[in-house]
Each structure stands twice: as C-alpha cells, then as structure tokens.
Amino acid sequence: EEVRTLQGRLGRSAALAVGYRELLTHLEGMTSLDEAFGAISRNTKKLAKKQRTWFRRDPRIHWIPWLGHVHDRTARVLETLT
C-alpha cells in the first residue's frame, strides 16, 4: 500500500531503491507479487554483500564480534565506544 500510494511521486533515486523498484515493477503489471518479493530478497542480499565489501576496505571501521549472549555483545559494543 505504501508503494502504491507513493507511485508516481517518488524521485528517481527513491524509485530505484531496493523494495520500491521491485514493487513498482509489480504495480506496472510486469511481474507477479511473488516474483517481486523474490527479487526484493535477492537484491537485498546483493546490496548487503556490496556494503560489507565496501566497509571491509575502510580502515576506520572497527568490527565487533557478534557472538555469544546479548550481555556479552553489549559489553563489547560499550568497550569499543569508550
């Protein structure tokens, strides 16, 4: 419903964003809803991989291990911030 409401009013960048692009294609009758959701899933995974690759090369990024209990993870984040 959100995409349907915004259809025709989205700027170029927003219309190309993952999720919007695929649902706009569906609303234009070019794909089924199932195909749109499948494309959203695939394109989200591609975007996440691209972002991880980009961040991995940035020396300013400090990766925090995200294993263990939530209290351990919270402590590691707090340690990094102080």
Side-chain angles (χ1 to χ4, degrees):
E1 288 304 313
E2 174 185 337
V3 177
R4 187 184 318 276
T5 302
L6 295 173
Q7 189 176 13
R9 297 187 298 149
L10 292 169
R12 186 172 188 276
S13 294
L16 294 175
V18 174
Y20 284 98
R21 176 180 51 215
E22 296 83 3
L23 288 175
L24 287 169
T25 302
H26 164 68
L27 292 174
E28 293 167 1
M30 298 171 68
T31 62
S32 71
L33 190 56
D34 285 341
E35 290 169 329
F37 283 135
I40 290 170
S41 179
R42 285 188 306 277
N43 293 335
T44 298
K45 289 174 185 174
K46 284 182 190 177
L47 176 60
K49 184 176 188 279
K50 183 177 179 179
Q51 289 174 331
R52 282 191 306 266
T53 300
W54 187 84
F55 281 120
R56 199 174 298 124
R57 291 189 302 237
D58 190 332
R60 298 169 298 169
I61 304 296
H62 179 78
W63 293 99
I64 301 169
W66 202 247
L67 302 171
H69 192 272
V70 66
H71 297 297
D72 298 329
R73 295 188 305 232
T74 303
R76 285 193 295 272
V77 169
L78 293 174
E79 280 176 27
T80 301
L81 294 175
T82 56

